Amino acid sequence: MSTAFNVIATLIAKPGQQAILEPLLRGLLAPTRLEAGCEQYDLHQDLQHPETFYMLERWADDAALAAHDQSAHIQSFRAKAADVIEHFELKRLKFLA
């Protein structure tokens, strides 16, 4: 049985592409927050490295994250952001306390 977990997605814009990436990321917030199993989906920007964005997420289970990964808005984001993202990393975290 799957249990809730947190995710930190790190997205770094290519040089000069931060202003393009930010609104694309903002556009994911509303539709993702409506998804079944999404408990948190918040966008943050690094103050020292403004080209770096973090999505702090909480998912009810693996199936919810898998459905999110296949959603129309994520597929659209990937197509639009492919040329502006330098680095992407996804870390799944187990909540301990």
Side-chain angles (χ1 to χ4, degrees):
M1 182 171 160
S2 187
T3 59
F5 58 92
N6 295 316
V7 169
I8 298 176
T10 303
L11 300 101
I12 301 175
K14 289 180 179 177
Q17 301 299 303
Q18 165 191 334
I20 296 170
L21 181 56
E22 182 178 345
L24 293 175
L25 289 168
R26 287 181 183 274
L28 295 174
L29 297 174
T32 299
R33 288 173 177 162
L34 294 174
E35 291 178 39
C38 178
E39 298 176 1
Q40 177 185 0
Y41 199 78
D42 298 323
L43 178 62
H44 298 265
Q45 185 176 27
D46 192 309
L47 290 173
Q48 292 183 317
H49 303 281
E51 71 283 358
T52 302
F53 297 90
Y54 301 97
M55 201 65 83
L56 304 181
E57 311 172 22
R58 183 157 176 84
W59 295 96
D61 54 32
D62 292 329
L65 180 57
H68 167 69
D69 191 50
Q70 297 303 312
S71 67
H73 53 276
I74 289 296
Q75 297 304 314
S76 176
F77 167 79
R78 286 185 180 138
K80 293 175 184 174
D83 293 335
V84 301
I85 294 176
E86 180 175 288
H87 175 78
F88 172 78
E89 182 178 3
L90 187 80
K91 291 190 179 193
R92 294 169 56 116
L93 306 171
K94 178 180 173 181
F95 184 72
L96 296 177

